[in-house]
Structures are given as C-alpha cells and as structure tokens.
Amino acid sequence: MKTRITELLGIEHPIFQAAMSWASSNSALVIAVSNAGGLGVLAAGPLRIEDFKRIVAEIQAGTKKPWGLNIPLNNPRAPELLDIAFQSRVPVMVASQGGPREHLARFRSIGAKWLHVVASVEHARKAEAAGVDALVVDGAEAGGHPPPSEVGTLVLVRRVVKAVKLPVVASGGIADGAGVAAMLALGAEAAQLGTRFIATPEAGVHENYKRAVLEAEVEGTALVGRGRHPIRQLKNAFSAKYDVAERAGSGDLDQLFNSSSLKQAALEGDVEWGKVEAGQSAGLVDDILPAAEVMKRLVAEVEFARNRLAVL
Ligand SMILES: Cc1cc2nc3c(=O)[nH]c(=O)nc-3n(C[C@H](O)[C@H](O)[C@H](O)COP(=O)(O)O)c2cc1C
C-alpha cells in the first residue's frame, strides 16, 4: 500500500508505533516494528543522556529500516537530545510539545524528515507554516496527552486533512486494521497506534501495566487534569481520588496531579496509584503479542477492511 507517508519515509506499511514514554523508550519495540515494515518510534522524553545514546546505537545496529525519534521540545534536556539525534543522523523526527521552526534546517541537512504532533487545527496550521514534512494528529481517545479540547479522532483528523496540504498521520483510538483503514478512508496517509503496542513483550513497562491494559474496557479510561495539561489513563485509585477532588473544587489539584507519575506505574508496576497512561483503545486490546505479529495482523486486517468495503 503506497501513501504519501510511506513514500515520504520509505516504509512499507502506513502504520506507526506511537512514541510512548517508557513503553517505547527502549530499542526492542522500535526495532521490531521498523523491521516489520512500520515506523517504530523511540520516546526519548524520560531517558538519561547516556541511556539515550546507547539505545540509539542499539537501534542503528538492529535495523537498517527507517525509524522515528520523539523528543518533546519543551523537555529541559531537549537541546542536548536534539544534538545527539543530529549527530546520530536520525532518519525521522516525530517531535511534540513545542515549536519546530528553529530545528528544521539543521535536520534537513542530514536528510531527516520532521513530523510534528498536533492536537488542534490551529497547531496543525502553525506547524505547516513552519515548514514541517507531515503531521501526526492526536484525537481525544488517545492515551498520554490528548487534546485539551476533547475533540475526537474521527472529527479532528477529518478537519485537519481538509485544513492543510501536508500528509496527516491519524492517532488516538486505533487498535486494529479496521481502525487503520477507517483513518485512510478519512484522508489520513497513515495511522499511529500507541496502546495496542503496550501489549507486546517488547514494550518497556511492568507486567502489571500490560495486564491492566488487557483487562480494561472501552469505558475504562479517565481524563485527569482537565483545564491543565490533561492525560488519559486507565481508571484506578489515583484517578478516582483526583475525580473526587476535582468535583469538590479542591484547591490543591496541582499538588495531587504531581503526587503520582507514569514512571510509578510503568517501572514499579503500581497500577493503582501511578498514572497508567493508555487510550480508550485499551478496550479493543485482548492479547499480548510480539510486535512483529501485531504488525502482520494489522496488515491483514487492513486488507480485510478494504475488501469488505469493495464488496458492499
Ligand atoms: C503510556 C503512554 C506514553 C506516552 N508518551 C508519549 C511521549 O513521550 N511523547 C509523545 O509525543 N506522546 C506520548 N504518548 C502519546 C502517543 O504517542 C499516542 O499519541 C497515543 O498513544 C495514541 O493513542 P492510542 O494509545 O489510543 O493509540 C504516550 C501515550 C501513552 C499511552
């Protein structure tokens, strides 16, 4: 299947494994997805500089195919991470949270493609004006940081596709090939899946986290931190406590928000009091499968969806 994104990046399938702090902050998941013809994306946000360098070298040794690197540009270590990415000649940047303009010329000079993650029409237009190569558009179903506007993927992706000329990668709520095909039908040129790839042996999170994703139903997530920089996570003791405090109009919501972390859930396995970031699509994920198997299944399911539409 050829789309503007597969052509731009030189990948076989229009499928991205989303950047996920801790879950995709290792080499194994990125290598497996890229070698299977998708785009594996390393989440650099939580990594120490030494670990980052080591993991980039592991990926370069593990795949000759294109792979992506996510650096949240508002991260205090972003300048140092960007320097290493540049020196390492990273093929694809998938940047989030911050302005891309000042970085583009430098990364173009090494032939890198720059994709930018946006969650609104306004930010899509701004990123296009800045000169990025493509957009990743996150809708409200997404795990991690969905749009504060809470506009869903179906509507936001369609709106952005009509608002910009750049190729769009749809993200948020997609867990199988039917979802990928739906996004292609909307006009997206690829789809990005995060939560689906948490349920793989390669994902770098605690077994409790993976099990919690399998057990979740589609109603099983909460948006925590409305009016701030909200996260979507699985409902647990922490989200329930936050919900009560929010409804009561409690004044110390910031303190409560910061009392729990993704790391607590991802590395320590505390799925009750940690932030178990995951999307609504957790309710569509029923099994832990090697990432290469997930890719194979996705490709077959996209084909099935295309054929189904063709005969209707
Ligand atoms: C556990 C987790 C961690 C995430 N960490 C990041 C991150 O470090 N950088 C980023 O740009 N997006 C991050 N995201 C958002 C994903 O890149 C992606 O937009 C989202 O997972 C898509 O929704 P889905 O989970 O329904 O597939 C994270 C998402 C999850 C679930």
Side-chain angles (χ1 to χ4, degrees), residues 18-21 70 96 138 142-144 171-174 192-195 209 277-279 281:
M20 292 179 289
S21 291
N70 169 251
S96 53
D138 258 330
S171 173
I174 307 155
Q192 166 169 284
L193 292 76
T195 300
Y209 200 125
E277 294 184 19
S281 63

Side-chain angles (χ1 to χ4, degrees), residues 17-25 43-46 70-72 94-97 117 136 138-139 141-145 171-175 192-196 198 205 209 232 262 275-282:
Q17 160 256 306
M20 292 179 289
S21 291
W22 301 117
S24 79
S25 299
N70 169 251
I71 298 178
V94 185
S96 53
Q97 297 175 8
V117 180
V136 177
D138 258 330
E141 298 93 321
H145 290 284
S171 173
I174 307 155
Q192 166 169 284
L193 292 76
T195 300
R196 168 63 266 195
I198 294 176
V205 296
Y209 200 125
R232 183 172 298 287
L262 171 62
K275 287 176 175 149
V276 194
E277 294 184 19
Q280 292 176 346
S281 63

